[in-house]
Amino acid sequence: TINEQNPDVENEVTKNYITVGFSQLGAESDWRSTNTESMLDAFSQENGYNLIYKNGQQKQSNQITAIRMFIQQEVDYIVLAPAMETGWDSVLGEAKEAGIPVIIVDRRVDVADKNLYSCWVGSDFELEGKKVAAWLKAFTEKRGISADDIHIVNIQGTIGSTAQIGRSRGLANAARANGWDILDEVSGDFTETKGREVMASFLRKYDNVNVVYCENDNEAIGAIEAIENAGKKVGADITNGEIMVVSFDGVNQEAINYAKEGKIACIAECNPHHGPRVSSLIKTLNSGGIPDKFNYVSEKLYSSFDDISEIVVDGSTYTIDELE
Ligand code: GZL
């Protein structure tokens, strides 16, 4: 007989495999596509898995439907990459009722009972924001640029996602501490199209923007296009009319090329390769082990301005890496 969910998979072959239901939030960015690839590679048959993969098209309702389907199919594990932090208590309660362990990957879930999921793996998004802000502070101070001359707009990610919450908080706290002016913050939903639209509206509204904090690379690419379409120059000479762009992810090749040219002044890496990490967490659970509840990945900071070789954040030193 053929498993109707995965027609190319023989039930006989997979009966002693670990069956995993993976609810991915969407395909909004290069980071997301790379993250999906990493998960599909890790949860292959040759690695001992039968994977049921569902793309939520950025809608939490689709993800909830997918989780309910996984429960119906009595999968062994559910992996959830949540679009936003809230709204998961009841469906994760149903998974717990069904005795199916849940692993959260990438963004976080804000649930009353943390026992609704076994563990989480992902990035420290606020630290990513702090790193970019620390780099901006080091860069501007080295050039004698006064905090009063720094006027920032933040093109935020999907509002309510952990990546947006952490990166926005990292910037806001640094701006308050350093006396920087944040002119505005509007969501670009982690996409190039919205990044371009939001940047164009910022340029119509403010004539003194000189730093654009993009909460992912796809937004940064859109913002650069909007800046150049408005006849302005993207660059680091921000007291002479240039507009500096900083960003997150380090996955999109165009953004990496921009960073090599100095068009994106600094990128905080956000590592998308969660597949092997989630697979090892499942293997630990499957052998009766108790994995750590929160598993943070370590990440780099990239810039082609090599006169800033390291930054300090909360007492820890981070080197600035060249982009390969
Ligand atoms: C971060 C991830 C974010 C990326 C965006 O781990 O949640 O979502 O930074 C992606 O590119 O859309």
Side-chain angles (χ1 to χ4, degrees):
T1 58
I2 293 287
N3 170 337
E4 68 276 6
Q5 276 74 32
N6 284 330
D8 59 343
V9 164
E10 292 279 347
N11 270 344
E12 286 316 303
V13 166
T14 61
K15 66 178 178 305
N16 54 359
Y17 280 26
I18 299 174
T19 298
V20 173
F22 172 40
S23 169
Q24 176 60 289
L25 72 91
E28 74 285 357
S29 67
D30 295 80
W31 188 97
R32 187 66 49 196
S33 317
T34 305
N35 177 248
T36 298
E37 269 166 51
S38 173
M39 297 290 286
L40 299 187
D41 289 349
F43 290 93
S44 62
Q45 280 180 25
E46 48 268 24
N47 288 346
Y49 291 103
N50 175 28
L51 180 73
I52 307 167
Y53 162 68
K54 285 289 173 191
N55 177 334
Q57 265 93 30
Q58 296 247 114
K59 286 192 177 61
Q60 179 174 42
S61 55
N62 292 340
Q63 294 198 274
I64 289 171
T65 303
I67 292 170
R68 290 196 167 119
M69 194 197 74
F70 299 149
I71 294 169
Q72 286 297 319
Q73 291 179 279
E74 299 180 349
V75 300
D76 298 312
Y77 295 90
I78 289 171
V79 178
L80 170 64
M84 66 281 291
E85 294 200 338
T86 54
W88 301 102
D89 296 76
S90 51
V91 75
L92 294 188
E94 292 164 31
K96 190 161 188 68
E97 274 298 300
I100 302 175
V102 174
I103 292 99
I104 308 296
V105 58
D106 180 29
R107 303 173 188 178
R108 308 277 285 257
V109 294
D110 178 11
V111 289
D113 174 7
K114 283 197 174 18
N115 293 321
L116 288 179
Y117 59 95
S118 299
C119 55
W120 165 87
V121 58
S123 303
D124 181 339
F125 301 108
E126 185 170 347
L127 174 60
E128 291 174 351
K130 287 176 175 177
K131 286 180 184 174
V132 171
W135 179 87
L136 181 61
K137 180 171 166 35
F139 182 88
T140 49
E141 286 181 349
K142 194 162 186 103
R143 285 158 180 75
I145 295 171
S146 155
D148 297 343
D149 292 334
I150 296 171
H151 305 286
I152 303 169
V153 288
N154 179 1
I155 305 180
Q156 295 177 294
T158 303
I159 299 299
S161 69
T162 317
Q164 175 272 312
I165 294 167
R167 291 167 187 166
S168 295
R169 186 180 297 140
L171 173 67
N173 290 342
R176 195 178 315 109
N178 300 326
W180 298 336
D181 166 32
I182 297 184
L183 291 165
D184 211 334
E185 46 184 19
V186 170
S187 178
D189 223 5
F190 289 131
T191 67
E192 184 175 327
T193 304
K194 281 226 46 204
R196 184 170 48 247
E197 287 165 10
V198 168
M199 189 65 225
S201 72
F202 282 154
L203 290 169
R204 286 192 295 274
K205 206 167 159 189
Y206 306 100
D207 60 4
N208 59 340
V209 178
N210 56 11
V211 176
V212 184
Y213 183 92
C214 301
E215 292 191 352
N216 85 330
D217 290 341
N218 296 80
E219 292 178 349
I221 289 163
I224 287 168
E225 194 177 334
I227 293 166
E228 293 178 336
N229 287 349
K232 295 187 177 272
K233 194 166 178 312
V234 176
D237 193 0
I238 63 174
T239 50
N240 291 311
E242 292 188 351
I243 298 180
M244 173 185 278
V245 173
V246 295
S247 182
F248 295 83
D249 285 350
V251 172
N252 174 290
Q253 193 53 51
E254 194 179 356
I256 289 170
N257 295 341
Y258 277 152
K260 287 178 179 171
E261 299 164 35
K263 226 169 176 181
I264 294 180
C266 172
I267 296 183
E269 178 197 20
C270 182
N271 190 319
H273 305 293
H274 290 318
R277 298 183 185 104
V278 178
S279 175
S280 74
L281 290 168
I282 286 182
K283 295 273 168 85
T284 300
L285 287 164
N286 214 47
S287 55
I290 313 274
D292 290 340
K293 187 83 176 176
F294 300 103
N295 303 274
Y296 287 92
V297 300
S298 63
E299 298 172 326
K300 298 179 176 171
L301 195 67
Y302 297 117
S303 172
S304 60
F305 292 94
D306 51 13
D307 59 330
I308 311 287
S309 57
E310 63 183 30
I311 49 141
V312 177
V313 175
D314 299 337
S316 301
T317 300
Y318 298 89
T319 56
I320 313 294
D321 288 80
E322 280 298 307
L323 280 156
E324 55 272 356

